[in-house]
């Protein structure tokens, strides 16, 4: 891409430009186009910490809320695992409550934990700091976004307490069963779930518009698109996906709510229940599946792309090496994002749609593997001959790569129709999606928290607890999910409350017990992590400024940790990408983005 | 708002790439609020597209015949039944309000406080008339013709369901627009946009640019109506 001050960069600076043409100083950066943002200055405790318009506080609010609801999702998984592992010993979950647990666990983890944490949490905290803005462009709406999210979460929690309990329709909420008697929670639970999702979409849109526009229209001088940290690229692309994919979910929610409350038949065919013909007729359940998965598949990448971006930055900083193939990484993110809109029906191979669709969607699905594989190679090549520091963020990043490759390969299996048909709705699928969109992104979340916690609080997390957290989570996750692939091969179906005396359970019983024990251990380690977060806030070892020696702007604010308005009186000016580590010719080990070429004359920098 | 000299930038596709790759702003000379509205409208387009595609699938797959629009949406005036009469007037009113909106935006640019305010008010009244006629149409369909979301005497039951859902969703958009039009015309008359008075909630300075942004929304809502009109009344 053309970039008009490319010629002014370090290489061409060899002073005696014999061409005679005018060469502006190497430090020339275009003048400021946008007037400096005026901020709302909070006057009271309430507007400063509660109804706060500062994106950094909003980010922390988002993250804490998401973590809180995420723990409910975790506790639900313990209940399910105890039931699956020791059906005779534990009887607090009945078949109905099991369904409800599966559903709420899945929905909470995917939407209310991961989406909210990556985009609402990390997005809010990091975007303004990393692109050199004082705040999001529309802080008031950004604040409302969080409160909408909170209401959505409260409505979701309320559904546990209504008559009939929360919905047990599976996180996919397929009609007709989702709203028919016989499915747990078909009275109020499903309605509250749909309302909560709609509120989530509305709230997210308010925040999402802010993230996108802040990145597009409010960067600091010199911060070209190709100098943005990959974290920002990942969050940006994921937000665009969300703004285009959530509408389908929103529409599906509205239509199903009407089917339920008003008795319309959008998704409901002619149907008999307990010998009685219902009033529904003529609707199409497959239509719901198309709408749901038009949202559902991009949703996978809404979770994955921020993880891709963040992990690239973590690897680069902690291996002291520039990201291998930065441009390729950016294009891969964008291409994956675009392709993710034309693969949705690979979740519907067994739905009874036209078989030719399966052919098309299998092809597109496999094509996505290409940019994804490029990213994996580039991470590995970034590590190659890097000065790898085995800090906790690095450990989690390595854990991410391994887990993601694992889940990605099983994804290639499931992308093919003939392999998917027998494996569909077995534990193989459960293993696949937990690896690829459960554990892998969570690894990045953890790594990112260990990485940026000092920036947020000025203190480090306890390193010993961190190491324990990593090793137990990493090894434990494999102990949980690796055997599930095998369970899938021998045919154990997903979403089953109990396997009884099924023939395949001869070898499955012991495995299930093993998985349950592992799940409990991993779960309790997360409590240790939470303990670490809360105690280190006050008691953690004080962190010096920029402890990881990173280059991106968030570590170079005048106040550390950054305060309201982020950058003091003058916004920083950016001269380079954030990956100038161990630059040849320079005596500096790293060159932050705001260091001008004339300050590091010998450095042979990358053209960005 | 924009002090940026646009004429110095490269033109055409080269200029496009230049903007995207450069620093500070991807859309040069575009205030953030306008860019934000465009992206919001893109997202909203996906919502309406989902509704309309769902309608198409339903129409294509129902076993019972879809009702004839000219029969359902007829109006009897002085003893003769005129098909699509009400809807023609509604469409005319809404499109006209787009025109008054455009004029309001023009006077906004010129910082002509009085005329801008009056045309905003005219637009608001146009929108209100539209919603009022829609309410009339709904009540006629419900109370007179017996059309319900779960069934109707004319044919496939999805007809009523989609009709009320889609026009209702669009009507909500119009109503929200009308509320903002009234608020903005009051703000214009009060001179908020000249003095840069701070918003009550947002505490941001008012700027005439906001009227253009509201205009984008309003034109979008009208454009969507054209599609809804085509899908429900002409197909
Ligand atoms: C230690 C952590 C976790 C454990 C022990 C766990 C366990 C389980 C179990 C037992 C099921 C039900 C399987 C079935 O009966 O079909 C399940 C389903 C599911 N889990 Fe997890 N899970 C964990 C973390 C996560 C995370 C982080 C995500 C985020 C993506 C996630 C997403 C899902 C989804 C989407 C379902 C499917 C729900 C459905 O079938 O409707 N899980 N999990
Ligand atoms: Cu998918």
């Amino acid at each position: 891409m053309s970039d008009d001050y490319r010629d002014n960069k370090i290489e061409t600076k060899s002073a005696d430009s014999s061409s005679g043409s005018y060469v502006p100083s190497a430090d020339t950066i275009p003048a400021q186009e946008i007037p400096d943002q005026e901020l709302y200055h909070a006057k009271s405790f309430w507007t400063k910490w509660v109804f706060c318009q500062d994106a950094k506080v909003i980010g922390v609010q988002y993250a804490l809320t998401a973590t809180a609801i995420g723990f409910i999702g975790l506790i639900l998984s313990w209940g399910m695992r105890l039931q699956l592992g020791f059906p005779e010993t534990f009887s607090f979950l009945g078949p109905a409550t099991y369904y409800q647990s599966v559903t709420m666990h899945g929905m909470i983890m995917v939407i209310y934990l991961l989406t909210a944490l990556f985009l609402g949490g990390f997005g809010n905290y990091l975007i303004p700091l990393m692109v050199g803005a004082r705040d999001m462009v529309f802080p008031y709406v950004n604040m409302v976004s969080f409160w909408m999210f909170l209401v959505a979460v409260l409505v979701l929690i309320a559904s546990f307490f209504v008559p009939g309990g929360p919905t047990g329709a599976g996180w996919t909420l397929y009609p007709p069963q989702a709203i028919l008697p016989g499915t747990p929670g078909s009275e109020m639970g499903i309605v509250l779930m749909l309302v909560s999702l709609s509120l989530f979409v509305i709230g997210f849109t308010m925040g999402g518009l802010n993230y996108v526009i802040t990145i597009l229209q409010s960067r600091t001088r010199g911060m070209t698109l190709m100098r943005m940290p990959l974290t920002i690229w990942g969050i940006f692309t994921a937000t665009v996906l969300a703004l285009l994919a959530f509408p389908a979910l929103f529409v599906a929610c509205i239509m199903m709510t009407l089917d339920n409350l008003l008795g319309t038949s959008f998704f409901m065919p002619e149907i008999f229940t307990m010998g009685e013909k219902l009033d529904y007729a003529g609707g199409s359940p497959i239509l719901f599946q198309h709408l749901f998965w038009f949202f559902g598949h991009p949703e996978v990448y809404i979770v994955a792309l921020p993880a891709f971006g963040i992990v690239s930055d973590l690897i680069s900083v902690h291996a002291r090496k520039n990201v291998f193939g930065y441009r390729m990484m950016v294009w891969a993110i964008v291409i994956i994002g675009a392709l993710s809109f034309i693969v949705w029906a690979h979740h519907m191979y067994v739905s009874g749609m036209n078989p030719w669709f399966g052919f098309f969607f299998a092809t597109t699905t496999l094509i996505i593997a290409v940019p994804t594989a490029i990213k994996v190679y580039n991470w590995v090549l970034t590590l190659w001959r890097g000065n790898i520091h085995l800090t906790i963020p690095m450990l989690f990043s390595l854990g991410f790569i391994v887990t993601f490759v694992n889940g990605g390969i099983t994804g290639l299996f499931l992308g093919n129709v003939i392999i998917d048909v027998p494996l569909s709705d077995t534990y193989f699928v459960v293993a696949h999606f937990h690896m690829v969109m459960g554990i892998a992104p969570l690894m990045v979340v953890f790594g990112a928290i260990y990485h940026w916690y000092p920036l947020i609080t000025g203190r480090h997390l306890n390193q010993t607890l961190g190491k324990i957290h990593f090793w137990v989570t990493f090894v434990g996750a494999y102990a949980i999910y690796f055997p599930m692939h095998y369970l899938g091969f021998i045919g154990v179906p997903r979403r089953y409350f109990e396997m009884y005396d099924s023939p395949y359970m001869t070898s499955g019983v012991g495995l299930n017990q093993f998985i349950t024990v592992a799940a409990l251990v991993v779960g309790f380690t997360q409590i240790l992590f939470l303990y670490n977060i809360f105690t280190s806030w006050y008691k953690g070892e004080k962190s010096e400024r920029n402890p990881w020696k990173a280059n991106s702007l968030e570590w170079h604010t005048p106040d550390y940790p950054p305060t309201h308005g982020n950058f003091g009186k003058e916004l920083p000016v950016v001269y380079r990408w954030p990956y100038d580590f161990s630059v040849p010719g320079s005596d500096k080990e790293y060159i932050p983005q705001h260091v001008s070429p004339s300050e590091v004359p010998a450095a042979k920098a990358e053209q960005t | 708002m924009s002090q940026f000299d646009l004429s110095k930038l490269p033109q055409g596709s080269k200029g496009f790439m230049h903007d995207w790759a450069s620093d500070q702003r991807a859309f040069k000379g575009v205030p953030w609020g306008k860019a934000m509205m465009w992206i919001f409208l893109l997202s909203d387009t996906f919502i309406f597209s989902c509704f309309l595609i769902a309608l198409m699938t339903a129409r294509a797959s129902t076993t019972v015949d879809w009702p004839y629009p000219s029969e359902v949406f007829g109006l009897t005036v002085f003893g003769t039944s005129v098909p699509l009469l009400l809807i023609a007037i509604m469409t005319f009113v809404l499109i006209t309000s787009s025109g008054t909106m455009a004029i309001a935006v023009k006077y906004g640019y010129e910082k002509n406080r009085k005329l801008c305010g009056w045309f905003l008010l005219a637009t608001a009244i146009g929108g209100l008339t539209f919603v009022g006629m829609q309410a009339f149409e709904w009540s006629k369909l419900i109370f007179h013709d017996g059309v319900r979301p779960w069934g109707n005497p004319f044919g496939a039951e999805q007809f009523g369901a989609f009709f009320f859902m889609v026009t209702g969703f669009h009507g909500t958009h119009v109503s929200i627009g009308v509320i903002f039009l009234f608020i903005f015309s009051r703000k214009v008359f009060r001179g908020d946009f000249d003095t840069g008075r701070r918003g009550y909630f947002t505490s941001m300075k008012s700027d005439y640019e906001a009227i253009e942004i509201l205009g984008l929304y309003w034109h979008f809502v009208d454009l969507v109506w054209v599609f809804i009109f085509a899908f429900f009344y002409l197909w």
Side-chain angles (χ1 to χ4, degrees):
Chain A
M1 252 186 258
S2 80
D3 169 330
D4 56 347
Y5 32 85
R6 170 188 290 166
D7 306 327
N8 317 334
K9 301 268 332 214
I10 312 92
E11 270 100 345
T12 49
K13 231 195 84 214
S14 45
D16 56 329
S17 69
S18 47
S19 63
S21 66
Y22 166 67
V23 179
S25 133
D27 294 345
T28 311
I29 288 284
Q32 179 148 358
E33 289 172 23
I34 352 170
D36 204 349
Q37 187 176 4
E38 268 189 64
L39 289 182
Y40 171 78
H41 294 288
K43 286 167 209 82
S44 70
F45 173 83
W46 282 94
T47 45
K48 190 152 188 212
W49 297 113
V50 183
F51 294 99
C52 180
Q53 301 194 18
D54 186 332
K56 294 191 291 303
V57 178
I58 296 174
V60 174
Q61 289 173 329
Y62 250 115
L64 292 178
T65 315
T67 314
I69 187 80
F71 260 84
I72 296 182
L74 180 68
I75 290 167
L76 290 171
S77 80
W78 295 342
M80 293 187 288
R81 276 319 321 174
L82 286 175
Q83 167 62 34
L84 290 172
F86 308 98
E88 273 94 50
T89 324
F90 295 95
S91 52
F92 54 88
L93 283 192
T97 7
Y98 184 86
Y99 275 145
Q100 292 167 323
S101 307
V102 176
T103 308
M104 298 309 273
H105 162 81
M107 198 61 102
I108 286 175
M109 289 297 188
V110 174
I111 309 258
Y112 298 86
L113 172 70
L114 287 176
T115 307
L117 192 56
F118 270 124
L119 301 180
F122 287 106
N124 266 311
Y125 201 93
L126 293 175
I127 291 170
L129 279 165
M130 280 189 154
V131 303
R134 296 209 178 276
D135 206 320
M136 291 292 178
V137 286
F138 204 164
Y140 179 78
V141 166
N142 201 27
M143 173 191 79
V144 179
S145 160
F146 167 72
W147 292 99
M148 286 295 263
F149 170 60
L150 189 68
V151 174
V153 168
L154 292 178
V155 171
L156 190 77
I157 292 176
S159 80
F160 281 96
F161 301 104
V162 293
T167 175
W171 89 283
T172 46
L173 305 179
Y174 280 1
Q177 46 94 9
I179 60 177
L180 290 182
T183 306
S186 62
E187 299 91 351
M188 280 303 290
I190 181 72
V191 176
L192 288 186
M193 169 62 86
L194 296 170
V195 169
S196 170
L197 285 173
S198 307
L199 290 172
F200 180 88
V201 173
I202 296 170
F204 176 80
T205 306
M206 297 179 173
L209 289 171
N210 260 306
Y211 316 152
V212 171
I213 298 299
T214 306
I215 293 170
L216 285 180
Q217 296 296 88
S218 182
R219 278 162 288 133
T220 188
R221 293 169 60 201
M223 181 61 85
T224 63
L225 287 183
M226 286 298 171
R227 284 179 186 168
M228 294 198 305
L230 284 169
T231 299
I232 298 296
W233 269 109
I235 293 176
F236 171 72
T237 316
T239 310
V240 173
L241 294 194
L243 288 173
L244 303 182
F246 279 136
L249 176 69
F250 186 69
V251 167
C253 285
I254 291 182
M255 287 165 71
M256 188 138 68
T257 313
L258 294 178
D259 275 2
N260 196 6
L261 296 182
L262 275 188
T264 56
S265 304
F266 292 117
F267 301 135
M268 305 297 281
E270 204 156 56
I271 217 163
F272 285 81
T273 201
M274 299 190 236
E276 227 178 293
K277 185 178 174 306
L278 297 181
D279 284 338
Y280 296 113
S284 162
I286 301 272
L287 175 62
F288 177 88
Q289 299 193 13
H290 279 295
L291 286 173
F292 183 86
W293 288 113
F294 184 80
F295 142 78
H297 188 84
E299 170 62 33
V300 176
Y301 286 97
I302 292 166
V303 172
L305 291 181
F308 289 176
I310 291 174
V311 85
S312 311
D313 282 357
L314 297 188
I315 289 177
S316 168
V317 171
H318 294 270
R320 314 309 296 159
K321 212 166 143 256
N322 65 27
V323 164
F324 185 89
Y326 171 84
R327 266 162 200 263
M328 227 194 290
M329 293 296 245
V330 171
W331 283 112
I333 288 181
V334 173
I335 290 169
I336 292 173
L339 286 176
S340 74
F341 278 100
I342 51 166
V343 299
W344 76 87
H346 62 209
H347 298 276
M348 299 165 58
Y349 288 152
V350 293
S351 71
M353 63 179 184
N354 187 324
W356 283 104
F357 277 22
F359 179 72
F360 172 80
F361 284 103
T363 312
T364 50
T365 302
L366 298 185
I367 291 175
I368 286 208
V370 176
T372 313
I374 289 180
K375 294 196 74 75
V376 175
Y377 288 128
N378 283 0
W379 289 321
V380 175
L381 286 168
T382 306
L383 289 166
W384 175 252
R385 307 182 103 183
N387 176 7
I388 299 175
H389 296 251
L390 284 180
T391 54
I392 296 171
M394 177 52 101
L395 288 176
F396 274 111
S397 306
L398 297 175
F400 163 81
I401 297 179
V402 178
T403 318
F404 184 72
V405 168
N406 188 312
I409 289 175
T410 50
L412 286 179
F413 284 58
L414 294 173
N416 291 284
V417 186
I418 13 172
I419 308 182
D420 180 71
V421 168
L423 286 179
S424 166
D425 282 323
T426 68
Y427 264 82
F428 190 83
V429 175
V430 177
H432 156 69
F433 69 68
H434 275 97
M435 278 286 184
V436 82
M437 79 170 301
I439 301 306
L442 267 185
M443 290 275 167
V444 178
V445 166
F446 293 142
I449 290 177
Y450 284 96
H451 182 80
W452 278 300
Y453 189 86
L455 179 71
I456 298 169
T457 62
R459 291 171 188 275
H460 280 288
L461 286 165
N462 182 310
Q463 301 295 299
T464 322
L465 287 181
K467 290 245 158 84
I468 297 173
H469 179 212
F470 169 73
W471 284 109
V472 177
T473 308
F474 180 66
V475 177
Y478 270 80
I480 300 172
Y481 297 109
F482 226 72
M484 282 193 195
H485 293 93
Y486 173 71
L487 289 181
F489 282 138
I490 61 176
V492 180
R494 137 187 208 205
R495 289 180 180 165
Y496 269 36
F497 158 72
E498 201 184 337
M499 305 306 163
Y500 305 103
D501 290 329
S502 326
Y504 42 70
M505 281 323 279
T506 41
S507 58
V509 174
L511 268 184
N512 256 340
Q513 294 173 345
F514 172 75
I515 294 175
T516 297
V517 173
L520 292 178
V521 173
V522 170
F524 282 110
T525 316
Q526 308 316 310
I527 295 180
L528 203 65
F529 173 57
L530 211 61
Y531 169 82
N532 194 355
I533 288 194
F534 283 119
T535 51
S536 300
W537 205 298
Y538 301 102
K539 297 209 200 107
E541 177 203 343
K542 272 228 169 4
S543 128
E544 79 275 25
R545 186 180 281 263
N546 195 4
W548 313 114
K549 303 193 171 31
N551 290 333
S552 41
L553 293 176
E554 83 271 22
W555 296 102
H556 300 276
T557 53
D559 299 300
Y560 179 79
T563 47
H564 187 55
N566 293 350
F567 291 105
K569 244 178 106 194
E570 293 278 323
L571 285 172
V573 177
V574 168
Y575 297 92
R576 56 186 74 246
W577 70 346
Y579 303 110
D580 274 337
F581 295 110
S582 329
V583 177
S586 170
D587 49 349
K588 295 215 171 50
E589 206 262 330
Y590 65 104
I591 311 175
Q593 284 190 280
H594 62 276
V595 173
S596 69
S598 58
E599 288 173 64
V600 279
K604 198 164 166 339
E606 202 77 15
Q607 280 222 347
T608 53
Chain B
M1 161 84 199
S2 148
Q3 309 89 340
F4 192 64
D5 187 359
L6 295 168
S7 60
K8 287 219 190 86
L9 290 170
Q11 304 294 312
S13 61
K14 214 172 149 197
F16 181 78
M17 292 314 274
H18 174 96
D19 286 2
W20 271 85
S22 80
D23 67 347
Q24 302 180 57
R25 288 197 278 190
F27 306 106
K28 295 290 174 204
V30 178
W32 63 262
K34 218 163 123 182
M36 193 181 255
M37 182 51 88
W38 274 110
I39 308 269
F40 167 72
L41 294 181
L42 184 66
S43 185
D44 215 11
T45 306
F46 271 62
I47 293 191
F48 279 107
S49 309
C50 288
F51 275 132
L52 292 178
I53 290 171
L55 164 73
M56 285 187 251
T57 12
R59 259 193 92 149
S61 63
T62 48
T63 44
V64 187
D65 279 342
W66 202 259
Y68 284 114
S70 48
E71 204 178 290
V72 185
F73 300 114
L75 210 57
T76 316
V77 201
F78 305 122
T80 48
S81 102
V82 190
L84 301 183
L85 175 62
L86 179 65
I87 216 65
I89 303 176
M90 277 169 72
T91 308
F92 178 76
V93 170
L94 199 63
I95 303 287
T96 311
S97 80
S98 240
T100 53
M101 184 75 227
I103 301 173
V105 171
K106 169 189 146 50
Y107 285 123
Y109 275 136
E110 294 170 3
K111 300 205 188 313
N112 187 332
R113 193 162 64 85
K114 277 247 160 65
L115 282 174
C116 176
W118 281 117
F119 275 100
L120 277 182
L121 205 60
T123 313
I125 289 167
L128 206 59
T129 319
F130 177 86
V131 180
M133 286 192 286
Q134 192 164 45
F136 171 74
E137 186 191 29
W138 274 41
S139 45
K140 175 178 171 292
L141 285 175
I142 295 171
F143 300 115
H144 187 263
D145 301 333
V147 180
R148 298 282 188 280
W150 53 89
N152 65 76
F154 302 102
E157 70 173 75
Q158 276 74 21
F159 168 76
F162 272 104
F163 178 79
F164 289 121
M165 178 175 69
V166 177
T167 57
F169 199 73
H170 178 264
T172 313
H173 273 70
V174 178
S175 310
I176 292 172
V178 166
I179 293 170
F180 272 92
L181 282 164
F182 277 122
I183 295 175
F184 272 45
S185 65
R186 165 138 193 274
K187 277 162 85 91
V188 170
F189 282 130
R190 198 167 59 185
D192 287 12
F193 294 98
D194 303 291
T195 57
R197 181 176 162 141
R198 287 180 187 279
Y200 177 74
F201 287 110
T202 63
S203 65
M204 284 182 158
K205 275 194 177 152
S206 308
D207 190 300
Y208 274 108
E209 168 191 310
I211 294 178
E212 194 187 351
I213 295 170
L214 184 60
L216 286 177
Y217 176 82
W218 193 254
H219 296 315
F220 171 79
V221 170
D222 288 5
L223 182 67
V224 168
W225 175 254
V226 173
F227 281 91
I228 292 176
F229 178 70
F231 275 108
F232 278 100
Y233 300 89
L234 301 183
W235 184 12

